[in-house]
Amino acid sequence: MIQIAICDDDFQVCSQLEDYIRRWKEGRRLEVEIFNTGKEFEEALKERHYDLIFLDILMEGISGIEVARKIRETDSECLLIFISSSKEYALQGFEVRAFDYLLKPLSEERFQKTMDLCQNELAKHIRYIEVKESRTLVKIPLNEIIYTDYYNHYIQIHTGARLIRSYQQFDVFSPLLLCYPQFLC
């Protein structure tokens, strides 16, 4: 699931971006959250992680560049896309490793191209495990695993979409997951 945040003090731009994202979605699993101030977004960042962030540069209070700097202190992998009505901040945007810089008014065609590039980039960062289900090798993204259990000589991997059963011993399977901090035994 792709976690997306939109932070812009212009409600119309937020609505337009959300609409563009919904049209781009086409079967992709994603979640979109909207924030109207940089402070509100900073509070959410304390508890949530986002894969993709649309960030307005010129906001009341704290600027998008300042928010991006704070993001980069703890997260070097999320994709930042700045949205602005001015070209003059583009260089500052790329100093915090922005993935793209979109100018207002937003063009849906340009947005679609950016999202396709984002999808390719995000796919590079997905970690997964491989297990044998029946006679087929199955790749399971780690972020889709809810939990696993062991029943009747089968490892059962529970995801949001389905149950995957793999015939193997638990002590052989568990090292695949226990090297990642989000899993515990």
Side-chain angles (χ1 to χ4, degrees):
M1 169 146 347
I2 302 172
Q3 301 290 331
I4 301 175
I6 300 170
C7 185
D8 195 313
D9 55 3
D10 184 335
F11 295 103
Q12 188 175 9
V13 170
C14 290
S15 178
Q16 183 182 25
L17 271 172
E18 188 174 29
D19 187 45
Y20 286 174
I21 290 168
R22 299 279 179 228
R23 284 199 288 257
W24 174 78
K25 184 179 176 179
E26 296 176 22
R28 295 172 179 98
R29 292 182 24 183
L30 53 87
E31 186 176 306
V32 179
E33 282 190 76
I34 296 176
F35 303 92
N36 297 113
T37 67
K39 286 286 184 202
E40 180 185 356
F41 182 57
E42 281 184 326
E43 287 301 311
L45 283 172
K46 292 176 183 175
E47 298 178 14
R48 297 277 320 251
H49 165 78
Y50 297 95
D51 302 303
L52 175 59
I53 301 170
F54 290 92
L55 197 54
D56 185 16
I57 289 193
L58 302 172
M59 291 186 288
E60 288 277 332
I62 186 168
S63 76
I65 296 292
E66 292 173 64
V67 172
R69 286 188 182 119
K70 289 183 180 181
I71 292 168
R72 287 299 183 226
E73 288 174 7
T74 59
D75 189 344
S76 63
E77 294 198 9
C78 77
L79 301 181
L80 293 174
I81 298 176
F82 285 106
I83 44 180
S84 181
S85 53
S86 173
K87 293 178 183 179
E88 74 179 86
Y89 299 100
L91 185 58
Q92 288 179 352
F94 288 105
E95 287 174 357
V96 289
R97 296 183 318 281
F99 186 76
D100 207 346
Y101 193 99
L102 301 176
L103 288 173
K104 297 176 187 177
L106 299 172
S107 152
E108 186 167 7
E109 182 181 330
R110 173 81 165 85
F111 173 84
Q112 296 293 339
K113 287 179 183 176
T114 296
M115 289 303 285
D116 290 340
L117 292 172
C118 286
Q119 179 69 33
N120 293 339
E121 189 64 27
L122 288 170
K124 293 177 188 175
H125 298 287
I126 293 177
R127 294 184 181 147
Y128 61 89
I129 60 169
E130 287 184 325
V131 296
K132 201 172 217 179
E133 183 181 35
S134 296
R135 296 180 184 187
T136 308
L137 206 57
V138 179
K139 287 184 179 182
I140 308 165
L142 292 178
N143 62 353
E144 291 184 11
I145 298 173
I146 299 169
Y147 70 96
T148 67
D149 61 26
Y150 187 72
Y151 177 74
N152 201 16
H153 304 288
Y154 281 90
I155 297 295
Q156 299 186 125
I157 303 167
H158 301 262
T159 70
R162 69 187 193 105
L163 172 69
I164 298 143
R165 297 183 76 218
S166 180
Y167 187 81
Q168 61 181 293
Q169 294 177 350
F170 189 76
D171 61 342
V172 173
F173 171 76
S174 63
L176 291 175
L177 293 182
L178 293 179
C179 60
Y180 297 103
Q182 68 264 39
F183 297 103
L184 56 99
C185 189

